[in-house]
Amino acid sequence: MTSTATAVVVGGGLAGTTAALALADAGLRVTLVEGRPRLGGLVFSFRRDSAAGELSVDNGQHVYLRCCTAYGQMLDRLGAAHLVPLQDRMDVPVLDADRMRLGRLRRTALPVPLHLAASLARYPHLSPAERAGVVRATLALQGLDPADPVLDGVDFGSWLRRHGQSSRAVEALWDLVGIATLNARAGDASMGLAAKVFKTGLLSAPGAADIGWSRVPLGDVHDALARTALEKAGVRIALRTRAASVDCTDGRWQVAVENGPHGGERLTADTVVLAVPQRETHALLPAGALADRDRLLDIGTAPILNLHVVYDRKVLRRPFFAAVGSPVQWVFDRTDASGLTRTPGNERCQYLAVSQSAAQEEIDQPVAKLRARYLPELERLLPAARGARIIDFFVTRERTATFAPAPGVGRLRPAARTQAPGLLLAGAWTATGWPATMESAVRSGTAAAREALNELGFPQGQLPQEAA
């Protein structure tokens, strides 16, 4: 289908890329404006010259679950599904640092909730009484509606205490999953969002929590392949180009852009999608486009810290693990994806990425202090690291990695449609019902495209129905 209708998408992250592709696939002439020199938003890679040679480094460790169906469809659209595969079955090694005992959270093919019963029964990091308490809390969780506004105002930690969960159960199970998916500890997280995570990921289908992660640098997927897909769809991509203002004149939208090759240009469009963070959106929204737009400024942000360590030998023999009883949260082997062993002399080396969510207390600490804390901790967790030489240690920081999933955030998150016809919002922080994940970002882009096409009178048969 072809059309004379035009669209401008502001923001080239996952939400903006999704919206631009959907609008272009429907026949619109689309321009995508991105201030950075690349696509991908907060999901990106960069090159680093280190003592180990040139590394391809992801800014953070990003994973998804089988229940993240919209993100899976995006990978298919980009031709990248084989580069970001899922586990055959969920299998999470969990190491207790104090007892030096390894447990596993694994599923079977049995129906929900029996698919996790055997794993929980053998989980060594909880007592038999604590495991029984987890079962009771899980049954109570099954009866909740994550969209219930009452749950949005309750914190997850209080709910867990009311349902008999010990501090050990919170640390070794609920927060083990919740901190990584919500980017907040139980006491700081909306019960509504926590219910969404656990009901969808662990209680919707046996394979819902199977884990997937990229085996190549994230930039290969969300910059290079995304750019190829957009160009093939006919999208005009304007990188290093920042939107300065958005306004509507005589029923036509005008986006003034600065910097880059299109600096000083005013882009005219029938519809505009703002797919940028909430504070940037607040600055760009014209008057009257959103009731009480200042509420966007009340949506907080939460940081993620990543520590990168290159050893002169292999110290970890599994692709990843999680830890309890330790400041270390999740550790991933990024050796192959980084290209480390392709440098002559590094064939025996290993590159580990330590992902630390809800890192408010450490996000601004100096590298030397982080090194002094975490390298001994990795030696405690990984005996093979005790005699290894550190070839490189560096830190990446995302101070505003996600929106903060605090109680009450649900009432602050806006829908895709604004009060200004033709102006739509997208981003993981909008009202998708999901926490700040890649899945939420993709769903928001599809929802914005759907609303835009509705307003323009376009058929939408090719859009995923789950974003309706």
Side-chain angles (χ1 to χ4, degrees):
M1 180 177 178
T2 57
S3 168
T4 59
T6 56
V8 171
V9 177
V10 180
L14 271 64
T17 298
T18 302
L21 282 171
L23 293 171
D25 288 346
L28 274 68
R29 291 181 289 128
V30 182
T31 299
L32 176 63
V33 175
E34 169 55 57
R36 301 178 180 91
R38 55 166 178 78
L39 300 176
L42 291 176
V43 183
F44 67 93
S45 306
F46 61 92
R47 303 296 293 179
R48 173 181 171 85
D49 290 323
S50 77
E54 189 176 53
L55 301 177
S56 183
V57 179
D58 290 345
N59 69 311
Q61 180 61 53
H62 296 263
V63 303
Y64 74 111
L65 306 180
R66 195 179 296 277
C67 62
C68 298
T69 53
Y71 181 68
Q73 289 168 348
M74 182 189 195
L75 292 176
D76 288 337
R77 178 68 175 81
L78 301 182
H82 65 293
L83 302 175
V84 194
L86 287 153
Q87 293 176 317
D88 293 332
R89 289 190 180 182
M90 183 193 81
D91 186 357
V92 180
V94 183
L95 180 61
D96 184 335
D98 293 327
R99 303 172 189 173
M100 286 309 296
R101 188 172 183 182
L102 184 68
R104 305 186 88 93
L105 293 172
R106 291 186 280 196
R107 75 165 178 93
T108 67
L110 292 173
V112 172
L114 298 177
H115 66 310
L116 294 174
S119 178
L120 182 60
R122 293 191 296 265
Y123 192 52
H125 307 325
L126 298 178
S127 69
E130 286 168 333
R131 293 175 211 156
V134 166
V135 171
R136 289 192 295 271
T138 300
L139 293 175
L141 193 63
Q142 276 189 301
L144 298 180
D145 177 6
D148 184 346
V150 173
L151 295 183
D152 179 53
V154 178
D155 76 88
F156 186 35
S158 296
W159 186 92
L160 289 172
R161 285 193 298 274
R162 288 198 303 272
H163 288 79
Q165 301 305 288
S166 67
S167 58
R168 176 64 176 181
V170 172
E171 177 196 15
L173 184 65
W174 300 105
D175 264 354
L176 183 79
V177 176
I179 290 176
T181 52
L182 295 163
N183 198 18
R185 289 171 173 80
D188 299 321
S190 157
M191 182 61 214
L193 287 174
K196 178 65 178 178
V197 165
F198 284 94
K199 286 197 68 174
T200 306
L202 297 179
L203 300 173
S204 63
D210 298 343
I211 300 173
W213 65 96
S214 182
R215 305 316 199 259
V216 299
L218 288 167
D220 290 5
V221 176
H222 293 295
D223 180 21
L225 289 179
R227 197 178 311 195
T228 298
L230 288 163
E231 290 171 347
K232 286 184 177 179
V235 176
R236 173 193 178 197
I237 304 171
L239 300 176
R240 296 185 176 88
T241 304
R242 187 180 68 87
S245 66
V246 178
D247 58 77
C248 189
T249 304
D250 297 329
R252 296 278 287 169
W253 286 98
Q254 303 284 328
V255 180
V257 297
E258 297 176 346
N259 309 323
H262 305 284
E265 187 177 349
R266 290 183 67 84
L267 306 175
T268 301
D270 298 295
T271 190
V272 172
V273 177
L274 297 181
V276 291
Q278 58 267 34
R279 282 161 179 75
E280 293 179 48
T281 298
H282 177 272
L284 290 172
L285 280 173
L290 198 65
D292 189 18
R293 73 174 184 176
D294 286 350
R295 76 179 189 269
L296 299 186
L297 301 178
D298 294 330
I299 302 175
T301 58
I304 296 178
L305 176 71
N306 282 269
L307 315 169
H308 307 261
V309 190
V310 180
Y311 292 96
D312 70 344
R313 67 194 68 176
K314 194 174 185 68
V315 300
L316 175 65
R317 300 199 176 278
R318 47 180 54 91
F320 69 92
F321 73 95
V324 296
S326 168
V328 170
Q329 294 175 13
W330 291 75
V331 180
F332 283 79
D333 181 0
R334 300 299 299 165
T335 306
D336 291 340
S338 70
L340 171 67
T341 54
R342 290 194 291 273
T343 301
N346 286 343
E347 293 82 1
R348 297 179 62 251
C349 297
Q350 188 172 35
Y351 166 17
L352 302 184
V354 182
S355 182
Q356 301 291 108
S357 299
Q360 286 86 346
E361 295 179 1
E362 293 186 320
I363 192 66
D364 290 317
Q365 287 186 1
V367 172
K369 187 172 183 179
L370 294 169
R371 179 183 179 119
R373 183 181 195 196
Y374 281 97
L375 286 182
E377 194 62 25
L378 286 172
E379 290 183 3
R380 185 162 76 107
L381 293 166
L382 302 171
R386 291 169 192 169
R389 182 170 63 90
I390 307 299
I391 297 177
D392 199 4
F393 180 95
F394 58 100
V395 176
T396 53
R397 312 171 199 259
E398 291 295 341
R399 292 176 174 82
T400 58
T402 69
F403 72 84
V409 72
R411 61 180 175 80
L412 303 175
R413 299 171 71 182
R417 187 190 290 264
T418 70
Q419 295 179 344
L423 181 63
L424 294 309
L425 306 181
W429 55 274
T430 59
T432 65
W434 287 69
T437 56
M438 295 187 293
E439 176 74 2
S440 183
V442 172
R443 283 175 178 259
S444 76
T446 303
R450 184 178 299 280
E451 294 293 349
L453 295 175
N454 267 335
E455 292 182 351
L456 294 171
F458 275 67
Q460 305 163 41
Q462 62 269 62
L463 288 178
Q465 292 304 307
E466 60 202 353

